[in-house]
Amino acid sequence: MNHALSSLPAATAQRGAAHAQAMLLGLGRHTLSGCLTSQSRQHLDWTADYRAYSSGRLDADRLFEAVLEQAAAVHPDAARLWLALDDSTLRKSGRRVPRTAWRRDPLSPPFGVNFQWGHRVLQASLLCPQPQGGARGLPVAFEVLLNRPSKQQQCCLPPAALKEALQQANVNHAAVAQLNRLAPKMARPAVAAVDGRFANKHFLRQLPPQVSAVARLRKDAVLYQRPAPSGSGRPRLYGALAARPEQFRSDESQPWQLMTAYAAGKRHDFKIKTQGPLRSKLTGNLDGRLMVIAPLGYRLRAGGKLLYRQPAYLWITDIKMSVPEALQGYLWRWEVEVNFRDEKTLLGVGQPQVWHAQSVQRLPAWQVASYSAMLWCAMSRGQSPGEFITLPQPKWRRRIQPQRASTQSLINQLRYDAWAGALRPQTFQGFWAGSSTDQSHPKSPNPLAGALFLSQG
């Protein structure tokens, strides 16, 4: 973090580091005023703290670049890097906050769609493999998307400006722009694991040359065989119609392959069918591969009825990619959902009450970048949680050894490292240090009084 902020002015770098640490240590609501209270600065002038975001002095891309550069260098022998892209909604209450609008609530019941007021955000997480077979997602890009122009605004804008505004508000074009910014920094081929929202020609046809994709596909998607070479005339892009994904899955003449991959804390056996090379209108003249994953059985309780999930259909744009790698990489995509959950529930991303257009974009991005830096620091210190987590676990969890440190345990360890001296100050009266004994004890950079007793107000 210090290396990423070294190019900033000293006062700005110090303020950015203090904000990043206070956003992780703070208790209660994670607003900017709560961040200042965690630093015991609630009685000082806060103008410079707000202007650090509204004037663009603190740019989260610096932290993201540092995390991406160091994390990508850990596995130099890896042929490609894996990224997980997804969008989400941050709830807001202010009707005049920039970039807010009514969004579909993903937690609404299936019989009725609900709406929520908030921001639509787009995030990319770098998937770092772990020794046990899983992966950990490190956010490397985060942005709050613009709103689609209203009908009144569309009538007033010229055609070129209207087209640009519609593209900036489109999540697929924003995802492609995000990958274009990340691709030169990775210095090697990458794979983007995405869900069905991005399985369209606006995203798949505009990917950077060094980036491929593994996307969730519809079960009734139209696929084609490769065209036969023609002697003359205009070359054809598509050949004869191929079986649709659901038809290919139910075709008993096509055998299933048994593969093992890591998911949900252990290794599972998956039944796989593949077909390719094929072509789709989603990717045009580029060949792809279809992968079908049979539904997995599960029980809600021991001895209960065996239930099944829905099958999954994946479209792989790189036909040279091995099937086991594509399967495992797409299963790692769940880490971006874990990142979203941690950011909303533990870090309070979206809770800061700011109204400036620059602050609305930069403040939550700085929170996410601080979270990513904390995850990377924990990963760089050791692969086992016991190597850097010194706090004792609760008695009801001592029998269970976690495979990796949770975000809450990392935050608790950070609080312990920052506040242990204030909670239990150590004295050295039995040792002679060569200085006067009336010297005051060093003050903690995170005062306990402001952090604990004034954090709620």
Side-chain angles (χ1 to χ4, degrees):
M1 181 182 296
N2 294 332
H3 174 71
L5 301 178
S6 59
S7 59
L8 296 176
T12 303
Q14 183 179 5
R15 179 173 289 105
H19 281 199
Q21 189 176 25
M23 289 173 180
L24 299 173
L25 296 175
L27 305 174
R29 288 181 58 82
H30 292 73
T31 59
L32 189 52
S33 58
C35 173
L36 299 178
T37 303
S38 299
Q39 306 173 54
S40 191
R41 298 185 59 248
Q42 65 273 20
H43 301 298
L44 302 178
D45 185 18
W46 53 80
T47 305
D49 297 277
Y50 280 87
R51 287 182 178 175
Y53 300 98
S54 61
S55 62
R57 299 172 186 171
L58 291 179
D59 188 3
D61 291 340
R62 298 176 182 270
L63 290 182
F64 285 136
E65 290 178 6
V67 172
L68 178 59
E69 178 183 358
Q70 298 182 28
V74 174
H75 303 282
D77 299 334
R80 54 177 62 90
L81 298 176
W82 280 84
L83 293 171
L85 274 75
D86 201 2
D87 66 318
S88 185
T89 303
L90 300 180
R91 289 180 177 269
K92 303 296 290 187
S93 57
R95 292 297 187 267
R96 297 183 180 273
V97 178
R99 304 191 182 190
T100 54
W102 287 109
R103 316 288 183 185
R104 182 184 178 276
D105 187 1
L107 300 179
S108 57
F111 53 82
V113 178
N114 294 336
F115 295 91
Q116 58 181 347
W117 185 264
H119 287 137
R120 191 179 190 182
V121 297
L122 177 66
Q123 177 173 299
S125 295
L126 178 66
L127 302 176
C128 300
Q130 300 293 291
Q132 73 277 9
R136 186 128 205 180
L138 299 180
V140 292
F142 184 90
E143 60 178 310
V144 180
L145 301 181
L146 294 170
N147 291 337
R148 183 183 176 90
S150 61
K151 293 183 179 180
Q152 292 79 4
Q153 294 174 343
Q154 294 182 16
C155 297
C156 301
L157 292 175
L162 176 60
K163 181 179 179 180
E164 180 68 18
L166 292 177
Q167 288 184 353
Q168 292 181 357
N170 187 282
V171 63
N172 300 292
H173 289 277
V176 171
Q178 197 173 87
L179 289 177
N180 285 324
R181 294 191 298 268
L182 293 175
K185 304 173 185 177
M186 292 183 289
R188 75 179 80 174
V191 185
V194 295
D195 58 3
R197 180 184 299 276
F198 300 94
N200 53 71
K201 63 180 181 181
H202 299 288
F203 177 79
L204 296 178
R205 288 193 180 188
Q206 301 178 17
L207 289 173
Q210 64 272 36
V211 178
S212 55
V214 177
R216 191 77 176 261
L217 196 64
R218 292 170 55 99
K219 65 179 181 180
D220 58 348
V222 180
L223 302 177
Y224 301 89
Q225 300 288 348
R226 297 179 65 182
S230 58
S232 61
R234 182 178 180 181
R236 299 179 60 185
L237 294 181
Y238 310 104
L241 281 174
R244 299 198 177 193
E246 178 61 23
Q247 297 174 352
F248 179 68
R249 183 191 68 85
S250 58
D251 187 2
E252 298 181 357
S253 62
Q254 301 292 335
W256 292 95
Q257 304 177 20
L258 190 63
M259 295 185 181
T260 303
Y262 187 91
K266 61 180 181 180
R267 304 195 70 86
H268 298 268
D269 292 332
F270 294 87
K271 295 169 60 177
I272 304 297
K273 277 186 180 182
T274 59
Q275 185 182 17
L278 299 175
R279 289 194 177 182
S280 170
K281 291 189 176 181
L282 302 178
T283 53
N285 60 348
L286 300 179
D287 296 336
R289 181 181 297 274
L290 172 66
M291 177 190 295
V292 180
I293 305 176
L296 296 179
Y298 68 99
R299 303 180 190 273
L300 295 178
R301 59 183 181 277
K305 182 180 178 181
L306 185 62
L307 305 176
Y308 290 91
R309 296 177 173 87
Q310 295 294 326
Y313 310 96
L314 304 181
W315 181 253
I316 307 171
T317 60
D318 186 4
I319 60 175
K320 297 181 181 180
M321 185 186 306
S322 63
V323 176
E325 182 184 4
L327 173 63
Q328 185 62 83
Y330 189 80
L331 294 176
W332 286 344
R333 195 203 70 86
W334 183 252
E335 288 298 319
V336 70
E337 308 289 352
V338 177
N339 292 148
F340 275 131
R341 181 184 181 276
D342 291 343
E343 293 162 7
K344 294 180 182 180
T345 59
L346 300 179
L347 304 179
V349 176
Q351 294 182 4
Q353 300 173 347
V354 290
W355 287 269
H356 195 277
Q358 292 290 336
S359 301
V360 165
Q361 167 67 19
R362 296 182 181 272
L363 183 51
W366 192 261
Q367 290 180 284
V368 176
S370 305
Y371 163 64
S372 181
M374 180 190 67
L375 293 180
W376 166 244
C377 291
M379 290 179 57
S380 61
R381 292 182 59 181
Q383 300 292 350
S384 174
E387 297 184 18
F388 49 85
I389 298 297
T390 59
L391 293 177
Q393 292 186 359
K395 190 174 183 180
W396 57 81
R397 295 196 60 187
R398 291 177 184 175
R399 297 181 180 178
I400 303 176
Q401 179 64 25
Q403 297 184 0
R404 69 178 190 181
S406 64
T407 303
Q408 185 62 67
S409 63
L410 294 178
I411 294 177
N412 290 338
Q413 181 66 36
L414 183 62
R415 288 170 177 167
Y416 176 79
D417 295 339
W419 297 340
L423 291 172
R424 294 184 300 176
Q426 302 295 330
T427 58
F428 302 92
Q429 297 180 359
F431 300 90
W432 183 71
S435 59
S436 59
T437 58
D438 58 352
Q439 188 176 10
S440 61
H441 187 76
K443 295 183 179 180
S444 172
N446 298 277
L448 184 64
L452 288 178
F453 304 112
L454 300 177
S455 61
Q456 301 294 336

